[in-house]
Amino acid sequence: MPAGRRIDRGRLTRRSFLAAVAALGTASARATAEGNGYTMPSLTFSDPTTQRRLGDLYARALTALADTHTIAADPAVYDKAGLLTYPPGTVVRAGGGYPAPQRWTRDAAVNAWNAVSLLAPDVGRNTLWSVVDRGPDGLVVQQDDQWWDQVVWILAARHHYRVTGDRVFLTRAYRTAAHTLAVRTALDLDTSYGLFRGPGFMNDGISGYPSPPASAWVRSSFVLDHPGTERLMCLSTNCLYFGAQSALADMADSIGEPARATSLRADARRLRQAVDRYLWRAEAGTYAYLLKDDGTVDDSQEGAGLALALLCGLADEQRAQQILENTHWQPHGVVNVWPHFPRFDDARPGRHNVMLWPMVHGLFGNAAASAGRGDLFARAVEQLATLVVSSDGFYELYDPVSGAVDGGWQEGGSGRAEHFVSQPDQTWSVTAYLRLIHDGLFGLDLAEDALRLRPCLPPEWGAVSLRGLRYRGMTLDIELSGGGGRVLECLVDGRPAEAVVPAEGTGHHTVELVLGV
């Protein structure tokens, strides 16, 4: 495999699966929660059925993250920036079935953003630094041939600072983020459209695209091997750039560079205007998938793109509600891209087309919670829980009609569509579920100065508590009762208060919220 190229999510066919597992070998040395910096909160629903369905799965996900997915970090591989700390000397891997090393920006950033920075700040920090290099001009997110997902690191870095309040991390992360965004803007901003070029966030496999740009004569599953894919302008990628510009502006404010923050927010406004101009479909009440450089629009539904439009704040409140109302769900959830491209169908669904990736489905569930759609949020959580329990594992992807573990179909080295494997022990499937609980159900909304609680409790789930959650110098027990997303009453240590936990607090505190619609 050429140097610098990561494995796309479709490179491992069934024939290569066992070889990949063998290559992983001892590099996946397990690390236990004890001594690793993980806290292991307990999730308890008052309703026994909900507890068995959702609460027990939360405990299982925590254990998997702290044990199976947290690995020893070889400094020669993972510490190119010289910023990892030993102890803990660990990072979070991408998952089972992939060859080592797994130094992949997208996975590292998503997993830190989803859960690791909250549950194990030292491991989260290590995981973020593990994909950063020291270049001739300073710290920069590693520059590989999957450039379009580099900026998700910036969102994860802001999140890590908001979780921890670590000013040393903030200063270094700001320099890294600013350098990375400057490189990508210089190389990838299409000034004629005002949009960033690059394939879709999740879609490093060619099955995620129509034909053209998918080319039958190219014997490769990797998107960039197909002519013209480098010039695509995709919804998810531009939402991430909007989020990265906004996140970097927040970081600039935090380190005392208000002029830079103002400039970045102006860039973000221009990008939002370009996305709205070229990708918003007023007649359908949603965004299109991508724009080609000849002006042609593919109006497919991109699950990650729609979720990120809400989570990154690109879609305003009115459009957010339209998107949620108009998004198509398959029987088991929100899929990667809908509908089938003509070369795929229900019998042979495309791996990056109409297939259910828990990470994408989870993002959409959180987007629904953030916009107050408790019905859609509940549906997303329950569907993901059903998939995991029925398959007895957090797999990479599933058939959205049958719910079976399946890797889907994709063009490969043979020159024809091949049946791919769904990898086991997928880390961002684990962290997707954890984020649904933390950010969706309990509404953990982290800012520089406080933790605000904006819960979304489906009434049918009953009362629920999250105990032993560490936040900076505090340990929190959070209890929700009632149902809905509006806080009717909040008690902190038995006294009436706002649903806000100031960041400078210390000690053990109980927060009780009564919710209504």
Side-chain angles (χ1 to χ4, degrees):
M1 186 174 298
R5 174 172 292 180
R6 62 153 293 167
I7 297 175
D8 73 70
R9 299 285 171 180
R11 285 224 170 136
L12 296 181
T13 64
R14 294 183 184 278
R15 291 189 295 273
S16 59
F17 174 61
L18 293 178
V21 173
L24 192 61
T26 58
S28 297
R30 292 184 175 181
T32 61
E34 184 178 356
N36 236 6
Y38 278 89
T39 51
M40 307 291 277
S42 61
L43 178 69
T44 306
F45 290 90
S46 60
D47 176 64
T49 301
T50 308
Q51 178 61 30
R52 287 192 298 270
R53 190 172 71 251
L54 305 180
D56 293 352
L57 188 58
Y58 177 81
R60 179 177 174 182
L62 279 179
T63 301
L65 180 61
D67 184 2
T68 305
H69 297 295
T70 301
I71 64 170
D74 179 354
V77 174
Y78 292 101
D79 199 13
K80 306 291 187 183
L83 295 174
L84 267 65
T85 57
Y86 296 83
T90 53
V91 295
V92 169
R93 69 175 187 169
Y98 305 124
Q102 297 176 8
R103 188 174 181 254
W104 299 338
T105 301
R106 182 176 57 176
D107 298 79
V110 167
N111 286 317
W113 187 17
N114 275 357
V116 183
S117 288
L118 176 67
L119 297 170
D122 291 344
V123 182
R125 184 184 63 243
N126 271 4
T127 301
L128 289 171
W129 289 134
S130 74
V131 293
V132 170
D133 292 337
R134 285 191 181 272
D137 299 317
L139 295 170
V140 65
V141 173
Q142 61 179 331
Q143 299 295 293
D144 55 21
D145 66 354
Q146 198 156 321
W147 74 83
W148 60 91
D149 60 16
Q150 289 171 11
V151 296
V152 70
W153 190 95
I154 301 173
L155 288 128
R158 178 184 61 178
H159 174 76
H160 185 86
Y161 170 63
R162 288 179 169 181
V163 170
T164 64
D166 184 341
R167 300 285 301 184
V168 174
F169 174 85
L170 171 66
T171 301
R172 290 169 173 162
Y174 176 75
R175 293 199 302 266
T176 305
H179 186 190
T180 302
L181 184 58
V183 171
R184 298 273 52 99
T185 300
L187 294 175
D188 304 320
L189 179 62
D190 187 315
T191 55
S192 61
Y193 290 103
L195 296 170
F196 284 88
R197 293 183 293 264
F201 170 61
M202 265 299 296
N203 294 342
D204 48 9
I206 194 58
S207 57
Y209 302 90
S211 179
S215 303
W217 55 269
V218 176
R219 296 194 171 197
S220 172
S221 64
F222 184 54
V223 58
L224 290 184
D225 289 338
H226 293 252
T229 52
E230 75 282 0
R231 298 190 300 276
L232 299 175
M233 290 162 276
C234 296
L235 175 64
S236 57
T237 297
N238 279 278
C239 288
L240 285 174
Y241 274 98
F242 174 86
Q245 291 167 336
S246 303
L248 189 57
D250 291 342
M251 295 164 76
D253 276 334
S254 296
I255 67 169
E257 293 191 7
R260 177 64 172 142
T262 298
S263 176
L264 284 160
R265 291 192 176 100
D267 291 342
R269 284 194 298 273
R270 284 190 290 271
L271 180 55
R272 171 192 274 146
Q273 290 167 357
V275 172
D276 287 347
R277 178 179 179 184
Y278 293 108
L279 295 178
W280 178 250
R281 300 172 57 210
E283 78 287 355
T286 191
Y287 286 104
Y289 175 20
L290 59 83
L291 175 72
K292 298 179 183 179
D293 62 351
D294 64 359
T296 304
V297 173
D298 183 286
D299 60 6
S300 299
Q301 169 186 297
E302 186 194 14
L306 297 178
L308 290 167
L310 274 66
L311 294 174
C312 293
L314 185 141
D316 62 26
E317 184 175 349
Q318 181 181 3
R319 287 185 175 178
Q321 294 299 331
Q322 288 181 274
I323 289 166
L324 292 170
E325 189 64 34
N326 294 316
T327 296
H328 171 84
W329 295 58
Q330 285 286 80
H332 285 275
V334 176
V335 296
N336 207 40
V337 179
W338 170 264
H340 293 288
F341 297 126
R343 63 192 192 276
F344 301 117
D345 54 33
D346 279 350
R348 290 160 58 106
R351 180 173 174 82
H352 291 272
N353 189 188
V354 181
M355 292 293 284
L356 193 147
W357 295 71
M359 192 271 278
V360 171
H361 177 83
L363 284 175
F364 196 86
N366 277 299
S370 73
R373 287 296 302 267
D375 55 336
L376 299 180
F377 169 69
R379 183 179 178 186
V381 174
E382 290 170 352
Q383 285 178 324
L384 180 53
T386 297
L387 290 171
V388 173
V389 171
S390 63
S391 64
D392 194 28
F394 288 90
Y395 281 86
E396 186 182 34
L397 69 162
Y398 296 81
D399 185 294
V401 176
S402 69
V405 174
D406 195 287
W409 294 79
Q410 184 164 237
E411 299 84 352
S414 67
R416 61 182 184 277
E418 302 174 23
H419 197 193
F420 283 68
V421 70
S422 176
Q423 305 299 338
D425 297 324
Q426 186 74 12
T427 311
W428 65 20
S429 297
V430 172
T431 62
Y433 185 76
L434 294 173
R435 183 173 179 174
L436 284 166
I437 299 300
H438 297 149
D439 294 11
L441 175 56
F442 286 89
L444 303 186
D445 184 8
L446 292 147
E448 183 176 33
D449 61 345
L451 166 63
R452 290 168 176 80
L453 298 170
R454 309 182 193 277
C456 183
L457 174 62
E460 63 272 20
W461 289 359
V464 60
S465 65
L466 184 68
R467 293 188 170 89
L469 177 72
R470 185 169 61 193
Y471 168 58
R472 300 200 187 182
M474 291 166 277
T475 299
L476 304 176
D477 296 340
I478 306 172
E479 302 175 5
L480 308 179
S481 61
R486 188 162 66 92
V487 177
L488 303 179
E489 182 181 9
C490 176
L491 301 177
V492 177
D493 298 328
R495 299 178 180 177
E498 297 295 319
V500 178
V501 180
E504 68 271 13
T506 59
H508 197 141
H509 302 279
T510 298
V511 182
E512 302 170 78
L513 300 173
V514 179
L515 304 173
V517 294

